[in-house]
Amino acid sequence: QVRLVESGGGLVQAGGSLRLSCAASGSIFSIDAMGWYRQDPGKQRELVATIDSGGMTKYADSVKGRFTISRDNAKNTVYLQMNSLKPEDTGVYYCYGDLKIAEPWGRRNYDYWGQGTQVTVSS
């Protein structure tokens, strides 16, 4: 019943911008961390950016200075603002959540993934 739903992907020219959103829904007790990963066919999924419960952020070296991750705790939503996009940024972007779930016997953390949203950057 817990879902992560991404939106905001699309086609953009090099140098342009996109803003991705990921909304978490379900019986979520708390969010320990959320982030964005990306993957091209035949390649390993790689971390792009993360934000933890304290608001600390981490970025892949390739996106530092261009991408910004943020969150809206009231909406259980994480955002990825992508500026100065390059063709190398092309891929499917997946939202990731390390979520604490309330269960009848207690609480525990689970990893969740969104279905992905395609980002294509043309030359």
Side-chain angles (χ1 to χ4, degrees), residues 40-119:
D40 274 332
K43 296 181 62 178
Q44 190 81 14
R45 187 173 298 184
E46 64 176 353
L47 184 146
V48 177
T50 60
I51 184 167
D52 67 16
S53 60
M56 298 297 295
T57 59
K58 295 182 179 180
Y59 297 93
D61 288 342
S62 61
V63 307
K64 287 181 179 178
R66 299 188 297 118
F67 291 10
T68 302
I69 188 169
S70 61
R71 67 183 185 184
D72 185 335
N73 292 335
K75 297 180 179 179
N76 284 347
T77 299
V78 65
Y79 305 94
L80 185 67
Q81 179 66 46
M82 304 185 294
N83 298 325
S84 301
L85 282 162
K86 304 175 181 179
E88 304 91 275
D89 296 317
T90 294
V92 178
Y93 283 67
Y94 296 91
C95 181
Y96 163 81
D98 179 10
L99 311 180
K100 190 179 299 293
I101 307 301
E103 297 178 328
W105 56 88
R107 309 163 191 161
R108 65 174 295 170
N109 283 75
Y110 294 93
D111 294 340
Y112 290 93
W113 293 93
Q115 76 277 19
T117 184
Q118 177 70 44
V119 172

Side-chain angles (χ1 to χ4, degrees), residues 1-5 23-29 97 99-102 110-113:
Q1 61 272 30
V2 174
R3 293 200 307 162
L4 301 178
V5 180
S25 62
S27 300
I28 302 169
F29 181 82
L99 311 180
K100 190 179 299 293
I101 307 301
Y110 294 93
D111 294 340
Y112 290 93
W113 293 93

